[in-house]
Amino acid sequence: MRPHHRRTASVVALAISAGVILSGCASPTSASPSTPAASGYPVSVDSCGVKGKYAQAPSRVVLGYPRTLETLAALGLDDSVYGYTLGGYDALPTDYPATIVEVSPDYAPAREAMIAAAPDLYLANDEGQVLGDGTVSYDDLAQAGTNVYVLGQYCADAPAPTSITRVYDDVTDLGAIFGVPERASEVVASLKDRVSAAAARNPGDPLSVAYLQVYDGKIYANGGYPAAGILNALNVTNVFADLPHNFTEITKEQALVLTPDVIMVNYVGAGNEQAGIDEVRALLPDSPAVKNGRVYGSDETDYEAGGVSLIANLEYVADTLFPR
């Protein structure tokens, strides 16, 4: 599993080595459009405290992560996408449009690459992608006429949300940015129905879940978003809800003090699922979840994609926790 950015455990080492410490969390407050209420322009939408101003719908979008395309496609906006960054993190879906180009393989894209791409919107999936520590910055993009929207509101120095409603807020904001508020409302209604149906699968018995990841022989726990949002929506206990950051390194002893009924193991890409599960089993053989065979994988690329992909992952978790 290769290090990437701060939604994951492996970014801890990456951030320290770069001398940068970020919160790794998203804002709990919805970034809602301030003007106007309907689809007319101009429109302004706040994201991580930065106001994006749109005179018209973006027509040349660069994605902070390739699979964010799924959210724009749900809104009928996939034709607006020119390119993506962070493409080297995981293999592209087999049906990914060949017309969408890789602008940069890096988590934080180079300034030159982004300026050359000339997007009118950079749909980032983490504010760390535009903080300009030797890479592209908000100022660089503003001077080039590029707005920035951070999907999931993964903002530096902000507390993490604990609700899956962040997805609905993003879809609503994108509806305002692209002038399709009615379509956004339809998508939100559909997503809410799917979440309600998944939550209804819970029989009501007490159930506790831990999200873990092993990286470089160390154990990391995920107590924040999106794990918190998914588990809260499904009405199950998140055993690491009190962690100060999304991902926190814990000791083997700390992991064994808590006795979750189920362990969800973060892995990156389908080919790494079994290896990730085996690492957790090897390090925590005495955990009740391991002894009872209740250790399952959860693909981290769903989280990186954000937006509607999180709802699909929530449904997968519901299927895993509450088998039919």
Side-chain angles (χ1 to χ4, degrees):
M1 204 176 298
R2 113 183 79 183
H4 49 302
H5 64 88
R6 65 189 177 91
R7 290 198 192 186
T8 68
S10 50
V11 75
V12 175
L14 181 64
I16 292 173
S17 66
V20 178
I21 301 297
L22 298 174
S23 70
C25 304
S27 169
T29 303
S30 167
S32 56
S34 55
T35 61
S39 59
Y41 291 95
V43 64
S44 296
V45 177
D46 291 345
S47 175
C48 291
V50 177
K51 187 180 294 294
K53 297 180 180 180
Y54 303 84
Q56 59 188 6
S59 60
R60 191 175 173 89
V61 181
V62 170
L63 308 174
Y65 182 67
R67 280 189 50 201
T68 301
L69 179 66
E70 295 167 19
T71 296
L72 290 184
L75 289 165
L77 303 170
D78 40 320
D79 287 345
S80 68
V81 178
Y82 165 76
Y84 58 84
T85 65
L86 195 54
Y89 173 50
D90 188 47
L92 293 178
T94 55
D95 58 348
Y96 205 79
T99 54
I100 301 179
V101 304
E102 181 181 76
V103 173
S104 170
D106 304 309
Y107 153 61
R111 177 182 181 278
E112 294 77 11
M114 284 294 289
I115 298 303
D120 48 12
L121 172 64
Y122 183 41
L123 187 53
N125 75 334
D126 190 316
E127 193 180 24
Q129 293 182 300
V130 292
L131 293 183
D133 183 24
T135 53
V136 75
S137 69
Y138 274 119
D139 288 342
D140 294 330
L141 294 172
Q143 290 174 17
T146 302
N147 277 305
V148 176
Y149 183 87
V150 180
L151 196 70
Q153 296 298 292
Y154 275 83
C155 310
D157 303 317
T162 57
S163 174
I164 205 69
T165 59
R166 180 65 256 167
V167 173
Y168 313 147
D169 296 337
D170 281 339
V171 171
T172 299
D173 286 349
L174 291 173
I177 289 170
F178 285 89
V180 291
E182 296 84 3
R183 175 59 182 158
S185 295
E186 293 171 359
V187 172
V188 168
S190 175
L191 295 176
K192 287 181 176 180
D193 287 345
R194 290 168 60 186
V195 171
S196 295
R201 301 266 306 279
N202 187 340
D205 301 325
L207 185 70
S208 59
V209 180
Y211 272 81
L212 296 176
Q213 182 182 40
V214 176
Y215 179 72
D216 198 21
K218 299 177 181 178
I219 305 173
Y220 294 84
N222 178 359
Y225 196 76
I230 290 171
L231 297 181
N232 286 348
L234 296 177
N235 299 311
V236 297
T237 299
N238 175 9
V239 299
F240 291 113
D242 295 332
L243 289 180
H245 304 292
N246 266 9
F247 278 84
T248 301
E249 181 183 349
I250 62 173
T251 66
K252 180 178 178 179
E253 290 71 25
Q254 287 175 307
L256 289 173
V257 166
L258 298 173
T259 56
D261 300 307
V262 175
I263 294 177
M264 300 298 296
V265 180
N266 288 120
Y267 67 91
V268 179
N272 294 314
E273 179 175 10
Q274 192 58 52
I277 291 173
D278 289 345
E279 285 180 311
V280 169
R281 286 173 174 166
L283 285 173
L284 302 173
D286 296 325
S287 167
V290 173
K291 288 182 175 180
N292 295 328
R294 302 204 70 185
V295 182
Y296 310 101
S298 185
D299 193 342
E300 205 167 272
T301 59
D302 293 335
Y303 302 161
E304 303 302 332
V308 300
S309 300
L310 290 183
I311 304 303
N313 186 266
L314 180 148
E315 291 171 323
Y316 158 75
V317 174
D319 289 340
T320 301
L321 300 181
F322 318 121
R324 298 180 190 275

